[in-house]
Amino acid sequence: MTQSIPPPAPRIVVGVDGSSSAKRALAWAHFMARTTGSVLEVVTAWQNPASWTGVADDWDPVAEARAMLRACCAEVLGDGRPPDVRLTVLEGPATAALLSAAAGARMLVLGSRGHGGFAGLLLGSVSAACAEHAACPTLIVHGDDPPPGATPASLPENHGVRHPDDAGRPAAAPVRRPAHKPTAGGAR
């Protein structure tokens, strides 16, 4: 008698670097995972510094990265991390690590800017490269709107996400680009 092995559960992969943008992406990825019945895989990447000058001999980048992931998950998802959330630390450039982790995933979720982004950019280089090259749908989270059903406890104010019930303050309105008004003759 043969016993079939069930296929692995579908995954939603989210890239986290500790930035407020990544924390908002984590909140949305958690919503997407719950909505689609997927496992949530929270991924971060680390690289050896270009120069080892000044790096302590006992530096453990994997432990440091795992601690950052745990802290972000506790902040965004609460202290009792759901059992269907996996933490993954990968070595290498962020873009390559995220594309590798997202192989076979249902979706890749990223913040619009991480710690390495310039404030004026709408899309960071990692999120732009992942959106261009991912083999799965990619969600880039812009703005401060929380996912449906988010609670103030799951979206602390200290990373820029507000909820309508958060101390009576209204949620931040999405930024809208002004509509283009054509000039006489339809020229821009």
Side-chain angles (χ1 to χ4, degrees):
M1 178 165 160
T2 60
Q3 185 176 6
S4 64
I5 298 173
R11 294 175 303 124
I12 302 287
V13 174
V14 59
V16 174
D17 66 358
S19 66
S20 58
S21 182
K23 291 173 186 175
R24 285 190 293 277
L26 176 57
W28 275 96
H30 184 244
F31 168 75
M32 296 301 294
R34 284 190 334 244
T35 302
T36 62
S38 301
V39 169
L40 178 60
E41 185 172 3
V42 186
V43 177
T44 195
W46 69 274
Q47 276 185 278
N48 285 326
S51 168
W52 283 98
T53 305
V55 176
D57 290 337
D58 62 347
W59 179 55
D60 185 350
V62 174
E64 190 174 302
R66 189 166 301 284
M68 181 274 299
L69 284 180
R70 283 190 191 112
C72 286
C73 284
E75 184 178 335
V76 176
L77 307 178
D79 291 328
R81 187 173 78 222
D84 57 345
V85 174
R86 291 188 284 191
L87 305 181
T88 303
V89 176
L90 299 172
E91 181 181 1
T95 301
L98 289 166
L99 290 172
S100 174
R106 179 172 270 172
M107 179 180 284
L108 174 62
V109 182
L110 301 165
S112 57
R113 281 193 313 271
H115 278 305
F118 293 96
L121 295 178
L122 292 176
L123 200 61
S125 59
V126 171
S127 52
C130 286
E132 184 176 345
H133 298 288
C136 63
T138 304
L139 171 63
I140 307 294
V141 177
H142 290 274
D144 293 338
D145 287 345
T151 63
S154 68
L155 298 171
E157 187 175 348
N158 64 351
H159 63 79
V161 179
R162 296 189 184 199
H163 186 273
D165 297 335
D166 192 11
R169 293 182 298 251
V175 176
R176 304 227 190 266
R177 291 168 49 172
H180 173 69
K181 293 182 182 179
T183 59
R188 288 189 171 185

